[in-house]
Amino acid sequence: MFNKHIYSQRRQRLKETVNNGIILLLGNEESSMNYKDNLYPFRQDSTFLYFFGIDRPSVTAIIDIENNSEILFGDNLTTEQMVWTGFREPLESVAEKTGVTRVKRRNEMEAVLKNAQAQSRPVHFLPPYRPEQANTLGALLNTGLDALQNMASVSLIKAIVEQRSIKSGEEIEEITKAVNTTVRMQLAAITMAREGMTEAEVAGNIHSIAIAEGGNLSFPSILTINGQILHIGYSQAKLRNGDLVLCDCGAETAMRYAGDLTRTFPVSGSFTSMQNEIYDIVLEAHQAAVSMLKTGIWYRDVHLFACEKLTEGLKQLGLMKGDVKEAVDQGAHALFFPCGLGHMLGLDTHDMENLGEKYVGYNDEVVQSTQFGLKSLRLGRALEEGFVITVEPGLYFNAQLMEEWAAAKKCHDFINYEKLGLYKNAGGIRIEEDFLITKSGSLLLGNPLPKKAREIETLRVA
């Protein structure tokens, strides 16, 4: 946990922004596998962590704005229960560490909420993203589950997004720690992978690094020879010379802050000439995007500039044609780059996205597109000092998508379909790094990780 004054100050600012009513923040519950006491790994709700720092299940909080009070609700374990779990500190003691003086049993929460409702005071809560949350809210508020999403407090969502988007110095330290662990994971993957190993073998080894550093994975690792499939994960597929391995992984610190990096490397140790050409296009787009990072610029414009750089490179390969800006405007490049350039990073890898992309990545000034490719850009709004974001351009050669577009002659003014067959097995290449937006531009977080093709090859033979 951070110092308790940090949590107290965060909650005070939240009260001032929301202004009236009571705020109900749910911690997460434990979730069972095939029987009650066989549990999935616990992960606390990130917003609850941000305001209270308590990383344990079955704890809920109410912040009473008018009365300037905060109550934690939870039940201490009995000695019999702790026979199975080990010692768990009393909630009263944990509450003191986060600056909260009032603790009540869980069964007392309903009465507090009903009292507020009887006084016609607004009850602010966030949209539930887990069934346990929805069930708890439905029971507490006597509301059908289908109505909960529409009843969630927009003013609370906006207030939390405003706070959590700007990372404090303490948060930057934690994110940097996570990124540095992720660097070690990437270096391990690049140097250990060999022909005949499986994707799962490499993924298992880098997972062990995250655990050994005191945390875990910040998201399920994407480690694959099928990098053209954006979120495929890993399998028992064997690495073969000629394949590219795309490794997109991240460590989560013990305090749940995330890192997120991607590198792509050749199994054989050397890129083929085709792979090298594609790799350099992605690298140039990455460097161009990074050069644009600064406060005030729309990240959507950074994304589109990177798309133009990718399109220019694809024109040089003979895969695309026509005016570059018009091709990007029409979405022709999305055949090869069907996703977004990056996203917020913090307590979640895709930070705060359970609160809604239209609030986190967009606002009244810039609205999310519905165009294929551009609609997958998670962050479009203007960058602000204190944002932590990813920059991750890529080129993906998905044979099924290429065949479908070719059959429909989609964007035929910009795509040379007769050449696509040469690239149907080219796979996918992505380069990703994490940046802090500063007063003067941006700062690369974490220790440098080689990203030029020759540097990657040098690591492969080391």
Side-chain angles (χ1 to χ4, degrees):
M1 295 174 70
F2 294 128
N3 184 285
K4 65 181 179 182
H5 299 297
I6 291 175
Y7 298 109
S8 295
Q9 289 167 1
R10 288 173 175 177
R11 295 192 297 269
Q12 184 59 37
R13 181 180 168 190
L14 185 64
K15 294 175 198 172
E16 294 168 357
T17 305
V18 177
N19 194 41
N20 71 321
I22 67 172
I23 298 169
L24 173 62
L25 292 180
L26 299 181
N28 279 334
E29 305 290 333
E30 289 181 312
S31 184
S32 300
M33 295 183 185
N34 61 324
Y35 70 97
K36 180 180 177 294
D37 295 322
N38 191 18
L39 303 169
Y40 288 104
F42 174 73
R43 176 53 159 88
Q44 183 60 285
D45 175 78
S46 293
T47 295
F48 193 86
L49 276 177
Y50 181 83
F51 288 104
F52 291 94
I54 299 174
D55 195 2
R56 60 192 280 179
S58 304
V59 182
T60 300
I62 285 179
I63 300 174
D64 188 321
I65 296 173
E66 283 86 357
N67 293 316
N68 194 30
S69 66
E70 301 148 353
I71 309 172
L72 281 172
F73 295 87
D75 298 325
N76 292 323
L77 295 187
T78 65
T79 299
E80 184 175 325
Q81 288 171 318
M82 285 190 282
V83 166
W84 298 93
T85 65
F87 176 75
R88 187 167 293 176
E89 191 174 2
L91 186 56
E92 291 80 3
S93 176
V94 177
E96 194 279 329
K97 295 177 182 178
T98 194
V100 177
T101 58
R102 298 180 66 191
V103 175
K104 292 180 177 288
R105 305 281 69 81
R106 292 195 77 187
N107 61 12
E108 298 180 79
M109 182 165 49
E110 185 176 1
V112 175
L113 288 172
K114 284 185 175 179
N115 182 56
Q117 291 174 315
Q119 298 174 36
S120 299
R121 299 178 65 197
V123 177
H124 302 277
F125 63 88
L126 298 175
Y129 60 95
R130 287 189 174 185
E132 297 94 338
Q133 293 177 327
N135 289 336
T136 298
L137 284 171
L140 287 172
L141 303 175
N142 193 27
T143 301
L145 300 183
D146 293 340
L148 288 173
Q149 293 290 338
N150 293 330
M151 292 174 61
S153 171
V154 173
S155 61
L156 178 60
I157 291 171
K158 289 183 175 180
I160 289 173
V161 169
E162 181 184 353
Q163 277 191 246
R164 286 185 58 191
S165 293
I166 309 300
K167 303 302 187 286
S168 66
E170 297 89 355
E171 290 183 289
I172 297 302
E173 287 183 17
E174 279 295 312
I175 296 171
T176 302
K177 187 188 301 182
V179 174
N180 282 336
T181 301
T182 308
V183 167
R184 289 189 282 276
M185 294 165 66
Q186 287 284 351
L187 287 171
I190 295 170
T191 55
M192 74 172 291
R194 291 292 182 269
E195 184 179 29
M197 295 180 69
T198 66
E199 295 172 348
E201 284 181 79
V202 183
N205 275 275
I206 66 174
H207 190 170
S208 70
I209 294 172
I211 295 172
E213 293 288 337
N216 210 320
L217 297 178
S218 56
F219 60 95
S221 297
I222 298 168
L223 197 148
T224 180
I225 55 175
N226 290 298
Q228 73 278 7
I229 303 174
L230 299 176
H231 282 175
I232 194 173
Y234 58 85
S235 72
Q236 292 297 325
K238 288 191 175 183
L239 312 186
R240 302 163 301 179
N241 285 333
D243 289 335
L244 290 175
V245 177
L246 189 152
C247 178
D248 184 347
C249 66
E252 180 180 79
T253 68
M255 289 186 65
R256 306 295 194 178
Y257 283 89
D260 186 7
L261 299 172
T262 306
R263 290 295 186 269
T264 311
F265 57 88
V267 174
S268 67
S270 299
F271 292 98
T272 67
S273 58
M274 176 187 288
Q275 291 168 347
N276 209 141
E277 289 175 330
I278 297 168
Y279 192 97
D280 285 346
I281 293 170
V282 174
L283 179 61
E284 183 177 353
H286 182 279
Q287 293 170 329
V290 171
S291 72
M292 289 186 69
L293 298 179
K294 62 180 181 180
T295 58
I297 192 168
W298 285 5
Y299 198 61
R300 186 180 70 181
D301 290 342
V302 181
H303 167 86
L304 293 173
F305 185 61
C307 293
E308 290 176 10
K309 289 298 181 182
L310 293 172
T311 302
E312 288 174 2
L314 292 168
K315 278 188 68 176
Q316 293 175 3
L317 294 183
L319 287 172
M320 294 191 70
K321 58 187 176 179
D323 182 78
V324 168
K325 289 186 179 295
E326 188 178 354
V328 171
D329 184 62
Q330 295 298 314
H333 68 285
L335 174 59
F336 309 100
F337 185 45
C339 53
L341 183 67
H343 51 79
M344 295 279 212
L345 181 70
L347 275 167
D348 307 296
T349 304
H350 292 165
D351 207 27
M352 300 177 285
E353 285 188 6
N354 60 295
L355 303 181
E357 281 185 5
K358 67 179 180 179
Y359 301 115
V360 178
Y362 293 85
N363 52 29
D364 295 337
E365 194 178 31
V366 54
V367 179
Q368 196 162 11
S369 174
T370 58
Q371 183 187 71
F372 177 72
L374 188 55
K375 70 180 181 181
S376 297
L377 176 63
R378 293 180 166 95
L379 174 62
R381 61 188 281 203
L383 300 177
E384 298 180 35
E385 183 183 352
F387 280 17
V388 175
I389 64 169
T390 67
V391 177
E392 48 184 301
L395 286 174
Y396 310 97
F397 298 86
N398 187 304
Q400 183 177 346
L401 184 64
M402 291 192 293
E403 289 171 6
E404 187 174 296
W405 277 41
K409 297 183 178 179
K410 188 172 181 178
C411 296
H412 61 89
D413 290 338
F414 304 106
I415 299 171
N416 288 319
Y417 283 109
E418 63 277 7
K419 289 201 68 173
L420 288 187
L422 298 175
Y423 289 82
K424 66 180 181 179
N425 296 317
I429 292 174
R430 176 163 66 251
I431 302 170
E432 177 184 18
E433 293 179 312
D434 306 325
F435 293 88
L436 169 68
I437 304 303
T438 66
K439 285 182 180 179
S440 58
S442 68
L443 174 68
L444 174 68
L445 293 179
N447 297 323
L449 175 66
K451 60 178 178 285
K452 293 181 179 179
R454 296 288 81 79
E455 294 171 338
I456 296 292
E457 289 176 337
T458 299
L459 282 175
R460 289 290 295 139
V461 300

